[in-house]
Amino acid sequence: MTASRVAATACPLDCPDNCSLDVTVENGRVVRVEGARGRNELTEGYICAKVRNFAAHVHGESRVLHPQRRVGAKGEGRFERISWDEALDLVTRQLVETRDRFGGEAILPYSYGGSNGRLTQDTTDALLFRGLGASRLARTVCAIPTGLVATAMTGKMPGVALPDFESARLIVVWGANPHATGIHLVAVVERARAAGAKLVVVDPRRVGLATKADLHLAVRPGTDVAVALAAIRELFTSGRADLGFLRAHTTGWEELRRRAEPWTIERAAEVAGIADDDLRRFVDLYAERSPAVLRCGWGLERNRNGASAVAAVLALPAVAGKYGVRGGGYTMSNSGAWRFDSGFGGESTTRIVNMNRLGEALTAFDDPPVRLLFVYNSNALATTPNQNLVRRGLEREDLFTVVFDAVRTDTTRYADMVLPATTFLEHRELSRGYGAYSLHVADAVIPAAGESRPNYAVFAELAVRTGIARRGEIPTEEETVERLLDSTGRGPEMRAELAERGVADAPSGRRPVQLVDVFPATPGHKIRLVPEELDREAPAGLYAYLPDPATPVAPLALVSPATNRTISSTLGQLRRARVPLEIHPDDAAPRGIASGDRVRVWNALGEVVVEARVSAAMRPGVVALPKGLWSHQTLNGSTANALAPDSFTDVGGGACFNDARVEVERLGV
Ligand code: SF4
């Protein structure tokens, strides 16, 4: 007889929505994952197809079930099974020997939001690597310009709650595609539109909400700053800027106005490759309709002008006076609503390695060289710019690479040691939304597959074995959960809400109204429109436009947007089919390219061989390959990241994926 039960949990993955989940378990295996009903107003019975299919991730053939040691050549992917005890002994010996021989900085921990749960990163891992004196990783592959700008301008003021978009009469979705990431916003936008709201989408591609928008601005990648500054200029010159609000609630508005001055509608439209009238219409809609809400995504930060673009977009609600009403203002990451402290923080002065330059760190650093790379919560080879340089680094025979993951990835192929990690269904986890204002604490719903173990436990064990901590002195997972809850300032209330509903609200409340319930966490609670620290760091100053890096040899902009099939690269092992390059008919025709043709996409950094799909959803001059592809999804094993430069955004050292400039040529059959 089959024992079936439904367990409540939540999705911690790198997505704004933090869905409440009901997981059906039969005989210790996940058979169904659904959106919970009655616990979470945003989720309410509906989740994305990615996580509905999560059982295939947990129980699939790519799952790492045992510790393994390399027996083949690097990149070959041949391993032998060993025991956890042997694996931990070996990793411990390598960590200690590397530190003693080359210095702690020769150890590089490499991680990003592959799990995104609060127990899975920045807890015992931080304790271990700080104790070893390891190099510190600047986690810059995503959300760095946006985070720095939001911090400087508003102190990361919590944004408009996603359900409150329904109160808006104008919704602007800028650099985001909720059909791919954060799908619950789509239904909210549709309800708002049914009630009369207008929708504007700013995206180089005509996909998702852009296909239904009242106005779609298909801007060239990297030109968002020009478009937003032109809108600001037009609001001032036409007398529609809210000077009363600017004087009362902002600093730097006159300087912002001065910097926007060169950006006439005509000039910005030409730079962005859009029609003057469309840009004028956007300004009219934005000025005239209230409440107006701006959903600022991460697409506009992934280029040389990223921080300036985000700053200009986030300045719009202040210039037009859109705050102070439900459904008015902006939303970007709402992670600022949570001020967690896991208790594992601490001082370190070791060198900082920007993760976007992993290839350089592995191939060129010599003081000391990186001798031990520890990858967790990340498929580094699939997600880092300048992929070929990263691969060269991973091939080094004198580099010891540990990969701690739930499934075999492109990166595990280069590992000397593979450690099996649990998924969020197999360990205790605390998760919170960075769009949704929800928090969950969930226990494992199934036993760990094979011999997989949680990050928390493995890093704690390594900390003990390396002598960083004594057994019994590291807080338990339960104690760290309690610490995290208390660090928000409303631990008791959260515990009560979790006990009653299974979901707790953010400290800012479930539906804060900007400038009514939540305020800028800045001096005097003012919105800082030209923060000096950003202005100093940006090479040409904040709001400067750095021109397009296209050359006659590489004239096409390659963008690599998120899709509805993977979460960054997570779940990529389940997408077996090859993916095409999308190219506009105007770019395909002169190159003799038709849909289904094999094409070579190339620049000085590398080449990708795929099939072409000719599509009017692209704008001319822009081609696209999905974000987070794995090697099996192209014809030559390279992905868009092989063509992405490891240059930095204007502020913060962020990744410039969308500054990839390429040529495309048709290959013979
Ligand atoms: S990835 Fe996003 S939409 Fe999908 S289940 Fe997780 S939180 Fe929900």
Side-chain angles (χ1 to χ4, degrees):
M1 177 151 155
T2 305
S4 180
R5 66 189 166 85
V6 176
T9 184
C11 177
L13 298 173
D14 193 355
C15 165
D17 292 3
N18 188 223
C19 292
S20 305
L21 305 177
D22 280 341
V23 178
T24 305
V25 177
E26 288 177 7
N27 299 326
R29 289 174 71 87
V30 175
V31 295
R32 205 160 34 250
V33 182
E34 297 167 296
R37 288 196 183 278
R39 293 211 295 276
N40 183 332
E41 64 178 330
L42 191 64
T43 309
E44 206 39 46
Y46 178 66
I47 59 167
C48 65
K50 302 178 249 201
V51 172
R52 269 207 310 275
N53 191 32
F54 205 71
H57 181 69
V58 177
H59 304 298
E61 59 178 28
S62 298
R63 191 69 199 267
V64 180
L65 295 171
H66 311 283
Q68 297 170 53
R69 175 169 52 196
R70 176 168 70 89
V71 291
K74 292 216 176 195
E76 202 184 325
R78 280 205 301 128
F79 299 93
E80 66 175 6
R81 178 176 170 179
I82 57 173
S83 71
W84 261 111
D85 219 33
E86 283 177 281
L88 290 168
D89 266 354
L90 222 156
V91 173
T92 300
R93 203 161 57 242
Q94 289 285 343
L95 286 167
V96 171
E97 280 178 15
T98 302
R99 178 196 60 191
D100 293 349
R101 195 159 156 220
F102 301 100
E105 290 180 340
I107 299 167
L108 177 61
Y110 194 93
S111 63
Y112 197 71
S115 157
N116 235 29
R118 295 295 103 187
L119 290 186
T120 312
Q121 194 161 286
D122 299 331
T123 55
T124 48
D125 52 328
L127 175 76
L128 171 70
F129 292 118
R130 190 175 60 254
L132 289 164
S135 290
R136 289 173 290 163
L137 186 74
R139 293 200 187 109
T140 48
V141 77
C142 185
I144 274 295
T146 44
L148 290 173
V149 168
T151 301
M153 288 178 81
T154 69
K156 281 198 145 185
M157 174 171 59
V160 177
L162 302 178
D164 277 345
F165 278 47
E166 219 171 317
S167 302
R169 293 190 64 238
L170 177 71
I171 297 171
V172 181
V173 178
W174 199 315
N177 177 10
H179 277 88
T181 307
I183 195 164
H184 295 91
L185 188 59
V186 174
V188 181
V189 170
E190 281 169 357
R191 286 198 295 275
R193 294 197 71 215
K198 298 281 188 201
L199 173 66
V200 177
V201 175
V202 186
D203 188 326
R205 300 182 310 152
R206 192 171 190 78
V207 295
L209 288 175
T211 62
K212 302 173 184 166
D214 299 283
L215 178 64
H216 172 212
L217 300 178
V219 300
R220 281 195 189 102
T223 63
D224 307 78
V225 60
V227 172
L229 287 176
I232 288 167
R233 180 186 186 277
E234 185 68 14
L235 287 166
F236 277 114
T237 55
S238 63
R240 292 179 290 181
D242 188 338
L243 298 181
F245 181 89
L246 289 168
R247 289 190 184 107
H249 297 287
T250 73
T251 62
W253 68 270
E254 285 153 309
E255 180 60 18
L256 170 64
R257 180 177 187 174
R258 196 182 67 72
R259 295 188 189 197
E261 190 52 35
W263 288 103
T264 61
I265 292 280
E266 294 75 16
R267 181 177 172 221
E270 188 184 341
V271 164
I274 56 176
D276 301 5
D277 284 349
D278 283 349
L279 184 44
R280 259 188 216 98
R281 189 161 161 239
F282 165 59
V283 180
D284 290 345
L285 281 168
Y286 196 63
E288 287 159 15
R289 296 183 79 89
S290 287
V293 63
L294 237 161
R295 201 285 178 262
C296 182
W298 291 266
L300 64 162
E301 74 164 17
R302 294 153 68 92
N303 67 81
R304 68 214 173 271
N305 295 315
S308 291
V310 173
V313 169
L314 295 196
L316 278 166
V319 173
K322 297 298 180 186
Y323 288 116
V325 290
R326 192 167 296 285
Y330 76 88
T331 272
M332 199 166 62
S333 168
N334 293 328
S335 62
W338 319 89
R339 311 264 174 185
F340 290 122
D341 178 2
S342 69
F344 286 97
E347 289 298 309
S348 175
T349 55
T350 59
R351 75 175 168 195
I352 296 174
V353 176
N354 187 311
M355 71 189 308
N356 294 320
R357 296 231 170 116
L358 176 62
E360 181 189 33
L362 295 181
T363 57
F365 280 20
D366 60 2
D367 189 22
V370 176
R371 302 297 291 243
L372 193 153
L373 177 69
F374 200 125
V375 182
Y376 58 107
N377 296 344
S378 169
N379 181 359
L381 189 56
T383 54
T384 312
N386 204 350
Q387 185 177 69
N388 289 327
L389 195 60
V390 175
R391 186 179 282 110
R392 277 211 290 286
L394 291 173
E395 284 168 349
R396 267 176 47 202
E397 280 302 329
D398 62 347
L399 176 72
F400 188 82
T401 301
V402 182
V403 181
F404 184 20
D405 207 318
V407 295
R408 287 191 301 278
T409 67
D410 287 350
T411 312
T412 61
R413 297 183 68 82
Y414 292 85
D416 295 277
M417 178 71 65
V418 181
L419 302 178
T422 46
T423 68
F424 71 86
L425 296 180
E426 299 156 298
H427 59 241
R428 185 167 173 77
E429 191 56 280
L430 184 151
S431 61
R432 58 94 179 101
Y434 61 88
Y437 287 114
S438 58
L439 176 145
H440 298 79
V441 178
D443 283 319
V445 302
I446 52 168
E451 294 184 275
S452 60
R453 292 186 183 179
N455 286 21
Y456 195 97
V458 170
F459 286 117
E461 180 64 24
L462 286 170
V464 170
R465 290 188 183 222
T466 52
I468 303 299
R470 280 205 297 273
R471 207 173 291 284
E473 117 190 335
I474 301 173
T476 63
E477 293 178 34
E478 286 70 22
E479 287 164 346
T480 298
V481 166
E482 299 309 312
R483 167 104 194 204
L484 286 163
L485 290 175
D486 286 332
S487 68
T488 66
R490 64 183 301 272
E493 295 89 337
M494 282 183 171
R495 285 185 194 94
E497 288 164 10
L498 287 167
E500 193 186 325
R501 298 191 278 124
V503 185
D505 294 339
S508 54
R510 206 182 304 173
R511 290 189 171 195
V513 176
Q514 292 180 311
L515 278 278
V516 173
D517 304 312
V518 289
F519 298 88
T522 52
H525 301 295
K526 305 268 188 182
I527 298 169
R528 302 167 68 222
L529 293 172
V530 189
E532 311 84 64
E533 63 274 32
L534 303 185
D535 200 32
R536 271 195 306 274
E537 186 179 338
L542 193 63
Y543 301 118
Y545 171 74
L546 305 176
D548 196 290
T551 66
V553 178
L556 299 170
L558 170 67
V559 294
S560 43
T563 72
N564 59 3
R565 306 297 295 273
T566 61
I567 302 158
S568 186
S569 69
T570 302
L571 308 180
Q573 83 281 9
L574 302 176
R575 189 181 189 185
R576 299 311 305 173
R578 300 237 161 81
V579 299
L581 175 87
E582 293 197 74
I583 183 168
H584 190 273
D586 290 356
D587 296 316
R591 293 170 173 83
I593 294 169
S595 285
D597 284 349
R598 287 171 68 230
V599 293
R600 174 176 171 254
V601 193
W602 61 275
N603 63 20
L605 295 173
E607 63 177 35
V608 179
V609 180
V610 282
E611 288 189 355
R613 180 193 290 153
V614 180
S615 166
M618 300 306 302
R619 59 154 294 136
V622 180
V623 293
L625 280 167
K627 177 183 182 184
L629 287 184
W630 290 31
S631 58
H632 63 263
Q633 291 164 322
T634 69
L635 292 164
N636 72 336
S638 287
T639 71
N641 287 8
L643 307 168
D646 57 9
S647 52
F648 292 153
T649 50
D650 45 355
V651 170
C656 290
F657 294 106
N658 292 347
D659 276 346
R661 295 295 177 269
V662 300
E663 183 52 282
V664 183
E665 66 185 26
R666 182 172 175 271
L667 294 173
V669 275

